[in-house]
Amino acid sequence: MADSTAQPSRSRDLDKLLLRPGHLVGPNFEPGAELRDDIKTYAKVLVVGAGGLGCELLKDLALSGFCNLEVIDMDRIEVSNLNRQFLFRLEDVGKPKAEVAAKRVMERVSGVDIVPHFCRIEDKELDFYSDFNIIVLGLDSIEARSYINAVACGFLEYDSDDNPREETFKPMVDGGTEGFKGHARVIVPGVTPCFECTIWLFPPQVKFPLCTLAETPRSAAHCIEYAHLIKWDEVHVGKTFDPDNPEHMQWVYSEAVKRAELFGIPGVTYSLTQGVVKNIIPAIASTNAIISAACTLEALKIASGCSKTLSNYLTYNGVEGLHTKVTEFVKDNDCLVCGPGVLIELDTSVTLRKFIDLLEEHPKLLLSKASVTHRGKNLYMQAPPVLEEMTRSNLDVALFDLMDKIPKDIVHVTGTAGKSGDKQSCLRKLRVAFKGINGVTEMDMAGGA
Amino acid sequence: MKVQNYVSDEVNIAKFAVNFTISFFFGVMGDKCLNLRASLVPGLFRTDVKGRLSMIKLFKVKEKQRELAENSNGKPPVKKQSAGELRLHRDISELNLPKTCSISFPNGKDDLMNFEVTIRPDEGYYNGGIFVFTFQISPIYPHEAPKVKCKTKVYHPNIDLEGNVCLNILREDWKPVLNINTIIYGLYHLFTEPNHEDPLNPDAAGVLRDNPKLFESNVRRAMAGGYVGQTFFTRCI
């Protein structure tokens, strides 16, 4: 299709949202062609994951007027992906998902630029993430979500009145599917609950007792977990099981079959073995399509203000009939990841010992016996004795020096708070700012950019 | 015009947000999904509606700032501590171990995610033995239980010869309210009260059940360094 004919038809539906005023629009919404063009030019969106959701997300975002996209995924294409990861073909098997997905969408949607990143999310520096205006997640694990959430919340800054500074917002849209079920949620750190605020809502993983696996298996899954968790270590001393290695998986499968025969248990198959070991639930293409559509619409609303955003957690269940529901989760103000923490201003000469004493007197903290950690370094540990001994010499060093002379940074402290008799253990986030360092402190604290 | 637009907004949104009020349901990818009733979680849900963002102007300003800052040297990138690391920091700084247990950090004071616990029982079958356990903590701790293995080869009904440990709170009964201290006490308990009902070493469990005297002498022989049946144990006294 020639560009001249493609352009008007491509943005026709989008124009209905972006070129006209409406009742549900945001307060700063300015409809018009400029808005549409600005989204094209300035909105940079990162898609995390190029799997079932990622393929859909890239296609949807590209068709919704986003032209600057990047995608990150560490996986290569497998045959079993092809039924739903529609950007991939049989000849792509073995190639990096991010690269093929980017190429295919760029071939089909003119004017869209997608930069692929074939690596782990942890391999990228924070600067990489700071470049994007919106991060859209198509992930399959709590761990990866928690990581990206911590990164995005890490950009958030608060002013001296503990109000989040809008220019440091890094909005995320998180999608997830599991068979016929799915969710889409909007996370604006500082405004909505972050991933960590509600992580306790996840149910614990189902884990079988080891002695059941070893002694009294009753199901096919028990036999598979026996081969995976017990038999593997018995036979392969010092060699770690790799779920992505087909030889390893085949070995576990054949051991599970032997085990099942021994106990007369039916139902062990290769695909069940993969499912149990890798926690795989069969994916449904249309669930991915629905969730991805919801996520893309949210990204468009965040960028343009053309309507209220989802507030803030949509669940979709197609198992029996069809149920969807939007729930507004509430932010945890004491969240260690997205919360403001307690602002503490100090002179550069204050020693760690003096700092720990100050925490005890601070009206918002009243924290005694504090252990202090900064950027992964344990500055002082009250216990166990071995760590107390290793960190004791820091007590008489200036905190400013222990914090590598950074004028303003986050410090975490653990200790006990409350009146004697009602002492409670607590873990707090502090925003430590040193007075009079190059004027940076005062300026930042005033809330100016 | 406004009415028409209102309708088109609504239609677009309604495609994805059909209200359903009977049950709450949460489904999240990756072996995670949960059902709960709102009424069980007071304070979790709020009724006022926010979320009127329009961030494109901010994106524009940022892009210009970025172009200007392109050549200036940026701040050194900082890896954030995960919420799991912070929670573990609290667990460790509040450890209160019995005198029979000690902890060490082979990678130094700044890696709390990998450590070893040494247990020296002062009573029971294993009195005088020294047993080392390795702990590996996940970044999403305490959502996920620590991975614990016994490094010392031990003749024990609930610990197999590869060091797997059958302790309920390490697997099926782990809860985020538990902590490292609880696990260490649980491990210590295994040495004072070995249990033949949850066998991971069925031979040892059978002997403990049928012939406690023989079990006692087998334990002594294994701890002193020697064979029990076909299996050799290194001295750990």
Side-chain angles (χ1 to χ4, degrees), chain A residues 41-81:
Chain A
T41 317
Y42 297 110
K44 285 191 75 176
V45 179
L46 174 67
V47 175
V48 187
L53 272 174
C55 282
E56 291 279 351
L57 286 167
L58 285 169
K59 174 258 290 173
D60 289 351
L61 288 164
L63 291 173
S64 301
F66 290 97
C67 290
N68 298 302
L69 302 172
E70 301 197 15
V71 57
I72 182 167
D73 194 302
M74 60 181 278
D75 285 337
R76 292 176 184 275
I77 297 161
E78 291 179 40
V79 174
S80 61
N81 302 146

Side-chain angles (χ1 to χ4, degrees), chain B residues 123-142:
Chain B
E123 57 176 310
Y125 294 115
Y126 296 91
N127 189 0
I130 301 172
F131 306 96
V132 181
F133 291 84
T134 57
F135 281 61
Q136 268 183 299
I137 315 293
S138 147
I140 53 166
Y141 177 78

